Amino acid sequence: MSAADGPDGGSAAAPSRQREHWGTRLGFVLAAAGSAVGLGNIWKFPYVTGENGGGAFLIIYLAIIGTLGISILLAELVIGRTAQKNPVGAFRQLGGTRWRVAGWMCVLGAFAILSFYTVIAGWTIAFAVKTASGRLTAPGADTEAIFESFVSDPVWPLLYAAIFMALTVAVVIGGIRRGIERVSLVLMPLLFLILIALVVRAVTLPGAMEGLLFFLAPDFSKVTGGTITAALGQAFFSLSIGMGAMITYGSYLERKAHIAGSAASVVGLDTLVAILAGLIVFPAVFAVGLRPEGGPGLVFVTLPAVFAAMPASAVFGTLFFLLLTIAALTSSISILEPAVAYFVDEHNLKRSRVTILCGVIAFALGIPSSFSLGIWSDYTLFGKGFLDIMDFLTANIMLPAGGFLIALFVGWVMGPRAIEALAPNTALGLWLARLWLYGLRFIAPAAIAWVLISGLI
Ligand code: PFF
């Protein structure tokens, strides 16, 4: 099952030097699904759903994923696969120098997301260690106090973030096949196995039903404009769209590779994992008598209390946090790759050197995020600390704005060329492809602009 072996032959738009490609189609799908499935699904989705009323949020989220989300994901893959370049190079090649700005936004967004993503991923390693040592699941352990005192410490969270960044850099230096693809092929199936074991455990806890009802039964009285903005931001963040990660992964596909089916698989897997995470977290939260509006600490504070109430608590707890670290790693590599690809493609720099440099810069940018939960917690804007601001700015503004530009670009600048790019090898019927293009021309930009503007107001 080979989507690609070696770089493809020289059309006018062929890259100037040999570009690495994914080894197999499965490798690509798992790498792209690995990018999508991450902290967004397991850490963020449950608490954003909890804060926005549960089931009603879930329905709006699913509606956005199934329309806008899949369309823009496909659009990014088409851009990347056609141009065979990083986001800046791809926009320039297909749309002219003016469009480079859109590519720059992508690279900037990558640094912004990676900076705070690494901090939270560092927490997951720390909590795997704490759970393994039995501290978090000891009888009477105050998980909230342990979480608060850990995240507000000026040193430890940064040390763990540094470890996580080093892992990310190591995989990205390995390149596409030997680094990203190989790691995804092993880690993604492992992640599913651990998730399924945890779902079985959570839904059979006494009192789980209340959590299931909260998650699955919609209460539309809780829906506000803010709910829709949150659902849109969550959808973009979760699918890794709006900042060129999928353009970059698409650029390592052979031009003849199938993409519509792959895009559907990625969306399906990402949504499945978010739902599985909900099926773990909500029954667990209610079973131990906690509330679902726990904010960013939700999985860190509530789940250790759940594990503590289970047999083999340290094993389940450690497995869970390891799972989070794995999910975060297969995503963080895709956040770093667009910037690395830019410097390698456009400036001919050495991959290893650029990867280390980008990693160090993103790590340094993450320091204020980590401090904002401790020694810098007094510095706020509109009541939000630095980490919250970075999260809000990227997920709720930059990614949707990026998606807006991507939709316009494929809809109007690439136009019928985009359908041609899909046509030779896709299972998508021509009428569906046309519907997709019209959606990108009119509906997607209008819908995103409406949500963005109403959200800001
Ligand atoms: N999709 C990832 C998650 O759900 O954790 C986060 C992410 C990866 C966002 C890549 C944006 C991105 F470009």
Side-chain angles (χ1 to χ4, degrees), residues 4-8 13-22 80-87 89-90 176-177 247-255 337-338 340-342 344-346 351:
D5 268 317
D8 53 16
S16 55
R17 64 160 135 171
Q18 293 207 337
R19 190 176 192 76
E20 207 187 349
H21 287 92
W22 303 105
R81 197 196 52 175
T82 309
Q84 300 279 299
K85 287 222 160 72
N86 68 91
I176 301 310
R177 280 198 209 180
I247 294 181
T248 312
Y249 273 22
S251 77
Y252 300 118
L253 281 168
E254 288 266 333
R255 287 218 177 83
E337 182 59 33
V340 170
Y342 163 71
V344 172
D345 289 352
E346 306 293 308
R351 185 173 183 90

Side-chain angles (χ1 to χ4, degrees), residues 34-41 113 117 234 236-241 243-246 270 327-328 331-332 334-335 338 399:
S35 164
V37 173
L39 293 174
N41 305 60
I113 295 183
Y117 203 84
Q234 177 60 25
F236 275 69
F237 188 82
S238 190
L239 286 178
S240 307
I241 53 178
M243 55 139 272
M246 291 296 175
D270 186 65
S331 298
S332 62
S334 76
I335 311 177
L399 295 184

Side-chain angles (χ1 to χ4, degrees), residues 164-174 329 332-333 336 352 355-360:
F164 183 80
M165 184 60 95
L167 289 173
T168 305
V169 165
V171 177
V172 173
I173 285 179
L329 183 63
S332 62
I333 54 184
L336 182 54
S352 53
T355 308
I356 293 172
L357 188 70
C358 290
V360 169

